[in-house]
Amino acid sequence: ETGVTQTPRHLVMGMTNKKSLKCEQHLGHNAMYWYKQSAKKPLELMFVYNFKEQTENNSVPSRFSPECPNSSHLFLHLHTLQPEDSALYLCASSQITLNTEAFFGQGTRLTVV
Amino acid sequence: AQTVTQSQPEMSVQEAETVTLSCTYDTSENNYYLFWYKQPPSRQMILVIRQEAYKQQNATENRFSVNFQKAAKSFSLKISDSQLGDTAMYFCAFMNDGGSNYKLTFGKGTLLTVNP
C-alpha cells in the first residue's frame, strides 16, 4: 500500500471504444502525473498536474485526454486508441518541494485490440 | 534535455553476493536529484534510494548504497547481501531542481535476477 491507487488493474479495449483510467492518491500531495511504460523503452512522462493545473503535456496525442478534478484524483480518458498504445500506464504523485520523490500506483495494463 | 542511460539490460547475481548496477546521465544543471527505483513483478514502483547532487557523501539505505560521481555523471547502485526479494527491474531516474517545473526522467531499466 503506497497511497496511490489505480483502477482498473487491467483493461482490454477495442480501437473504437472509450474508456477511462482512474488514479487516486491519499498522501496529501499537490502534484500528479501520468507515465507510459512500454516494453524496452524508458518510462515516458505524459502529463503533469500541479495544484490541479496542467503544467506539462509531453506531445501526447489527443486520443489521450487527462482530467484532474481535484488534487487527489486524476483521470486519463481514452478514445480511438491504436494497438501501439498498449502499455502499462502508471500514475504518480508528489509534493512540489525540493528533494521530493514520486510515489507510484501499481499501474493499469492496457491492451488495445 | 536530460538523458539517463542504463547500459545493462539484464544482470544476475547469486543470493548473498554483491552486485552493482550502472547509471550515467547527462545534464547541464548543477543542482538536481538522482533516484533508484525498484519495480518487482507486482509492478509497484518503489523508491530504493536517492541522492542530492549538492551532497558529496554517497547515500546509503541498509543493503543499498550508491557511488555518485558528479564530475563523471555517474550514479551506480550497489546491492550487498542480495536477497531473492531483490529480483526486480531497477530504474535510475533524474529529477531537475525545477521547483514547480517538475521533470523526472528515467533510464530504460536493468532487470536484476537473484539466484538461489
Side-chain angles (χ1 to χ4, degrees):
Chain A
E1 176 62 47
T2 64
V4 181
T5 305
Q6 288 187 245
T7 54
R9 292 290 306 278
H10 302 271
L11 178 62
V12 179
M13 59 185 289
M15 289 189 284
T16 58
N17 291 157
K18 288 185 181 181
K19 296 287 184 182
S20 296
L21 309 185
K22 179 183 176 181
C23 177
E24 184 174 2
Q25 59 97 359
H26 310 279
L27 301 168
H29 290 164
N30 51 21
M32 297 186 76
Y33 318 92
W34 280 116
Y35 281 87
K36 177 182 179 182
Q37 186 178 19
S38 305
K40 302 187 187 302
K41 284 186 174 182
L43 273 77
E44 302 170 57
L45 178 63
M46 300 175 71
F47 299 105
V48 180
Y49 277 83
N50 293 336
F51 297 99
K52 302 186 298 177
E53 299 296 322
Q54 187 180 127
T55 58
E56 182 88 13
N57 177 337
N58 210 13
S59 302
V60 180
S62 60
R63 56 186 184 270
F64 295 91
S65 174
E67 178 190 1
C68 188
N70 55 61
S71 58
S72 299
H73 294 85
L74 184 65
F75 296 89
L76 188 61
H77 304 299
L78 316 170
H79 64 98
T80 59
L81 294 192
Q82 305 298 311
E84 59 265 29
D85 296 323
S86 298
L88 181 67
Y89 289 84
L90 291 167
C91 173
S93 71
S94 73
Q95 191 66 17
I96 304 175
T97 57
L98 296 178
N99 195 24
T100 179
E101 69 268 21
F103 290 78
F104 285 83
Q106 289 186 292
T108 295
R109 173 69 65 189
L110 174 67
T111 303
V112 181
V113 297
Chain B
Q2 290 84 13
T3 58
V4 178
T5 303
Q6 293 178 249
S7 58
Q8 306 150 314
E10 296 186 37
M11 292 191 73
S12 62
V13 63
Q14 292 300 121
E15 194 175 7
E17 293 188 349
T18 296
V19 63
T20 300
L21 308 184
S22 301
C23 173
T24 59
Y25 58 93
D26 187 25
T27 183
S28 58
E29 299 187 20
N30 188 52
N31 197 28
Y32 47 87
Y33 305 88
L34 296 162
F35 306 92
W36 277 98
Y37 278 88
K38 167 185 176 181
Q39 187 179 38
S42 67
R43 306 185 327 209
Q44 191 84 62
M45 290 277 277
I46 303 165
L47 180 70
V48 175
I49 199 166
R50 66 185 181 197
Q51 175 81 42
E52 294 88 341
Y54 62 86
K55 288 187 178 178
Q56 293 185 338
Q57 186 174 7
N58 288 325
T60 299
E61 197 72 42
N62 299 316
R63 298 182 295 107
F64 299 88
S65 62
V66 299
N67 183 4
F68 173 49
Q69 301 290 328
K70 191 172 183 179
K73 295 180 182 176
S74 171
F75 182 61
S76 61
L77 174 69
K78 185 171 83 171
I79 306 174
S80 304
D81 186 25
S82 297
Q83 300 176 0
L84 297 178
D86 295 334
T87 293
M89 281 289 289
Y90 286 82
F91 293 93
C92 179
F94 171 101
M95 186 177 83
N96 62 309
D97 181 10
S100 61
N101 187 24
Y102 167 100
K103 283 188 186 296
L104 184 60
T105 305
F106 287 85
K108 287 188 178 182
T110 297
L111 177 60
L112 176 68
T113 302
V114 180
N115 299 309

